[in-house]
Amino acid sequence: MSTRTSWADLAANSAAENVDGSSASNGAVGATSAPTRAAYVPPHLRNRQSSDPPAPAQSGPATSYDRSGSGGSRWAGPRNDYNRSGYAGGGRGVGGWGGRARGRGEVNPFGEDDGTEQAFSEQETTGINFDAYEDIPVETSGDNVPPPVSNFAEIDLAEGLNLNIQRCKYVRPTPVQRHAIPISLAGRDLMACAQTGSGKTAAFCFPIISGIMTGEAPQRPSRGARAVCPLALILSPTRELSMQIHEEARKFSYQTGVKVVVAYGGAPINQQLRELERGVDILVATPGRLVDLLERARVSLQMIRYLALDEADRMLDMGFEPQIRKIVEQMDMPPPGARQTMLFSATFPKEIQRLASDFLSNYVFLAVGRVGSSTDLIVQRVELVHESDKRSHLMDLLHAQRANGVQGKQALTLVFVETKKGADSLEHWLCMNGFPATTIHGDRSQQEREQALRSFKSGATPILVATDVAARGLDIPHVAHVVNFDLPNDIDDYVHRIGRTGRAGKTGLATAFFNDNNSSLARPLSDLMQEANQEVPAWLARFAARSSFGGRNRRSGGGRFGGRDFRRDSSFNRGGSDNYYGNSSGGYGASGGYGGGGGYGPGVTSAWD
Ligand SMILES: Nc1ncnc2c1ncn2[C@@H]1O[C@H](COP(=O)(O)OP(=O)(O)OP(=O)(O)O)[C@@H](O)[C@H]1O
């Protein structure tokens, strides 16, 4: 019983932390407010009833401009000047490339109140807890690595971008930003590994936006050409993550004249085509939809200067690698060296690093914290729960949270399950038992997926039951608790899942239900927890000791895993021209420690776009 009380206490503390300054400033509902109950529709009836309200305008790329008040015609977008973006090269008529016009009528992604003035005074209270990141060891390797900076003022970013950084209330760069931004601004290719929630999105967006703002005007193909030619491509594995990166990039590029467009599956392609035709500098996309656009010859990659792969290890695993190779190697994208390539993730198995090196030229490897480690900000608990007891155990947890006033918008709970059917069934059961829940997985329509996320974020359904489709990248404020109802097979998936809480310096709680079916995860899980200074239960240590070495999990063969450039490991070094010079701070040694080979199995690739 005492354990359960402590879960609830932890969740309560976490919720209290998550409430801090921001709720005061936006008038958000407090932790004890009752959430608005959404009308529950059982999964089997969902396609027959139109119970889900239609997606609001901001959900789609094309409709987002419909809110701009720029007038009735869809063609009267804020930047229908094809000379500037995506089409027809030559004269910009806007004071040169560096003097890009601000998009008139551009929707303010910061809301009605721009708040630039206010931003400075509020920054210190609403920002990230940087102290939490100060001790993180950083390692770089590569040729002539550009030195890190300690604040944004030291970085030579374009002026309009600096203003938007203030609008975002980013006071100081996070560690990954301090290192990665100067490396990218120096024009270097980069493979970067940093913990979940540590600000990787801005780390690749800032150099791209700044580079486009200050770089030479591109000579785009003639206006008659059907294909649009973005200058930068950002690929991510899921639709929701692509949408999120698009939203972030739009904030960072607000009023800079840099146009960001998103394209992802499950949404009408015609809307996305229309948006692309208005001009695009940065294209954010999921691989499947991009291949479709390339095959229709509606997008050309010939002018790509920047390529960023977010969740790069996922993008290069067996599920996605063929599509990524097609996009990057078999279409018209400039080769490594002629473009700048940035790969980011919180996990980067060596096998994938080796694959990824095909896309890079004389790159810098950057590890902030150990590769694949979880952040200390997340309190991790593992409970021994038999398969048949999982539901009642979850119910106990949720009741304890409720009893402690941990619920509502400020304390969202994300529950991961293995299968889509399992997700629907658990959601149904939770709702029947008085816990408003919704679900996100690959069998739901895109509209349903987006509605589920909105409902979760708003606190209307403070529990989201998800498959791995929600495991990576999603930055949902106020996720106080991640429950691994079904543990994943791969420890890296666990790292990403629990990383949906404890983000941007805030604390979070992660609870996992473990039983005999998860024995292959015992050792990597106990290693990971130990490394993150978590309490490892004695029974888990016994499971770990019993489990065979060299299993399918990469870490199961090694006592220690670390942030390592695979080029430092002689067994991976193909004797090529990779020269590098290691550079580390924070004091961890040079031993490798990823055991076993292969290991990254197909997992739950069906859940991915
Ligand atoms: N310099 C900064 N100051 C304050 N907040 C920041 C800063 N940089 C990023 N953030 C915020 O931190 C949160 C996490 O950032 P982001 O989503 O980029 O993390 P990530 O490292 O990509 O995580 P993941 O590995 O889960 O994809 C976001 O809400 C973002 O707005």
Side-chain angles (χ1 to χ4, degrees):
M1 287 311 275
S2 61
T3 330
R4 288 180 196 176
T5 314
S6 72
W7 293 328
D9 290 347
L10 284 161
N13 291 340
S14 169
E17 291 222 40
N18 285 337
V19 167
D20 66 11
S22 55
S23 68
S25 63
N26 63 17
V29 193
T32 49
S33 314
T36 318
R37 243 176 211 246
Y40 173 69
V41 181
H44 65 285
L45 291 178
R46 271 184 203 138
N47 290 333
R48 287 186 240 155
Q49 296 180 356
S50 54
S51 60
D52 279 337
Q58 68 265 31
S59 64
T63 47
S64 66
Y65 281 102
D66 293 341
R67 289 181 301 151
S68 69
S70 58
S73 166
R74 274 182 296 205
W75 298 95
R79 289 191 56 205
N80 52 7
D81 170 358
Y82 292 130
N83 277 340
R84 275 181 299 159
S85 201
Y87 280 106
R92 310 219 140 249
V94 289
W97 188 248
R100 296 181 133 233
R102 293 172 174 206
R104 262 193 223 120
E106 185 180 0
V107 177
N108 182 347
F110 300 96
E112 285 296 302
D113 173 21
D114 168 319
T116 317
E117 295 294 319
Q118 235 183 343
F120 277 119
S121 55
E122 285 179 0
Q123 278 167 347
E124 291 299 345
T125 50
T126 57
I128 202 165
N129 172 14
F130 285 93
D131 297 343
Y133 295 105
E134 283 315 314
D135 295 335
I136 294 179
V138 176
E139 180 168 309
T140 53
S141 50
D143 211 358
N144 294 323
V145 180
V149 292
S150 46
N151 53 57
F152 285 122
E154 276 179 63
I155 316 176
D156 188 18
L157 294 170
E159 197 188 315
L161 173 55
N162 276 324
L163 204 61
N164 291 329
I165 294 173
Q166 288 171 25
R167 287 183 171 116
C168 287
K169 298 174 183 165
Y170 291 1
V171 185
R172 277 189 283 163
T174 64
V176 65
Q177 292 163 3
R178 281 175 19 207
H179 289 262
I181 295 173
I183 292 169
S184 302
L185 282 181
R188 297 293 298 278
D189 280 5
L190 175 64
M191 183 186 287
C193 192
Q195 288 161 325
T196 51
S198 63
K200 295 188 286 295
T201 314
F204 60 76
C205 282
F206 289 178
I208 293 175
I209 294 166
S210 184
I212 292 176
M213 286 176 74
T214 57
E216 267 179 38
Q219 294 299 311
R220 287 190 151 114
S222 71
R223 192 169 176 160
R226 273 182 92 216
V228 295
C229 301
L231 303 177
L233 176 64
I234 300 173
L235 290 171
S236 97
T238 64
R239 301 163 184 178
E240 288 75 16
L241 182 52
S242 285
M243 291 165 70
Q244 179 182 299
I245 295 168
H246 172 240
E247 287 304 312
E248 289 289 287
R250 272 182 58 225
K251 284 186 201 158
F252 302 147
S253 58
Y254 178 54
Q255 292 195 333
T256 62
V258 175
K259 177 92 191 281
V260 192
V261 175
V262 65
Y264 54 85
I269 198 164
N270 285 338
Q271 274 180 22
Q272 293 173 0
L273 283 170
R274 280 196 292 271
E275 193 63 29
L276 285 165
E277 283 164 358
R278 289 183 183 145
V280 52
D281 296 306
I282 301 175
L283 176 59
V284 184
T286 49
R289 179 53 57 95
L290 179 60
V291 167
D292 193 352
L293 291 167
L294 291 168
E295 284 173 348
R296 291 173 189 227
R298 301 302 294 271
V299 170
S300 159
L301 302 175
Q302 62 179 296
M303 305 208 60
I304 290 293
R305 297 173 179 175
Y306 305 95
L307 168 67
L309 301 191
D310 195 15
E311 311 297 341
D313 57 330
R314 173 59 80 189
M315 303 301 279
L316 294 170
D317 80 5
M318 290 189 289
F320 276 118
E321 193 204 344
Q323 273 180 328
I324 299 298
R325 284 207 184 272
K326 176 163 188 166
I327 292 166
V328 179
E329 295 177 335
Q330 293 156 27
M331 306 305 286
D332 53 352
M333 189 185 293
R339 61 163 200 260
Q340 194 178 343
T341 307
M342 293 165 248
L343 311 181
F344 280 77
S345 186
T347 51
F348 239 127
K350 286 194 173 166
E351 300 80 12
I352 303 268
Q353 287 189 35
R354 188 174 48 72
L355 271 180
S357 65
D358 291 352
F359 300 105
L360 297 159
S361 161
N362 186 26
Y363 66 96
V364 174
F365 177 86
L366 165 67
V368 180
R370 299 207 176 109
V371 173
S373 61
S374 59
T375 147
D376 298 1
L377 295 164
I378 306 168
V379 173
Q380 297 177 54
R381 300 263 178 247
V382 189
E383 303 292 329
L384 192 56
V385 186
H386 288 297
E387 212 55 45
S388 55
D389 295 337
K390 282 182 172 177
R391 285 189 173 182
S392 61
H393 209 76
L394 178 63
M395 190 57 68
D396 288 350
L397 266 180
L398 295 173
H399 276 298
Q401 282 185 188
R402 194 176 264 179
N404 280 275
V406 183
Q407 59 181 318
K409 183 183 160 89
Q410 303 298 335
L412 307 177
T413 301
L414 180 53
V415 183
F416 281 104
V417 296
E418 168 112 35
T419 64
K420 303 168 204 172
K421 275 208 172 105
D424 281 340
S425 149
L426 184 61
E427 177 222 14
H428 179 69
W429 184 81
L430 284 167
C431 290
M432 289 297 139
N433 283 280
F435 286 97
T438 184
T439 181
I440 186 166
H441 59 68
D443 274 354
R444 299 203 78 186
S445 72
Q446 188 53 28
Q447 203 184 341
E448 288 171 330
R449 282 163 63 158
E450 289 171 27
Q451 166 60 15
L453 261 187
R454 276 195 297 274
S455 172
F456 181 54
K457 283 181 182 171
S458 72
T461 46
I463 302 172
L464 178 66
V465 184
T467 58
D468 259 338
V469 77
R472 284 185 179 242
L474 295 186
D475 185 52
I476 303 169
H478 311 304
V479 174
H481 195 175
V482 171
V483 179
N484 272 295
F485 187 89
D486 299 321
L487 271 163
N489 295 321
D490 188 305
I491 191 67
D492 285 349
D493 291 337
Y494 173 83
V495 168
H496 287 278
R497 284 180 178 189
I498 67 169
R500 296 318 97 211
T501 188
R503 301 177 68 76
K506 291 178 178 144
T507 55
L509 171 64
T511 305
F513 296 171
F514 186 102
N515 59 39
D516 283 340
N517 297 336
N518 312 114
S519 51
S520 71
L521 203 69
R523 187 174 174 98
L525 183 58
S526 102
D527 286 351
L528 179 85
M529 289 177 70
Q530 240 166 23
E531 198 180 74
N533 300 316
Q534 303 294 310
E535 201 180 310
V536 179
W539 59 262
L540 182 62
R542 281 197 296 276
F543 257 102
R546 277 206 304 268
S547 68
S548 59
F549 281 42
R552 70 185 292 278
N553 270 302
R554 281 179 295 286
R555 287 171 184 157
S556 53
R560 187 163 176 226
F561 46 91
R564 294 291 166 274
D565 182 348
F566 91 100
R567 293 173 297 183
R568 294 184 146 196
D569 183 335
S570 56
S571 66
F572 282 93
N573 196 330
R574 290 167 296 176
S577 57
D578 284 339
N579 284 326
Y580 63 86
Y581 301 94
N583 203 340
S584 71
S585 56
Y588 53 93
S591 68
Y594 272 101
Y600 52 95
V604 277
T605 42
S606 62
W608 298 85
D609 294 282

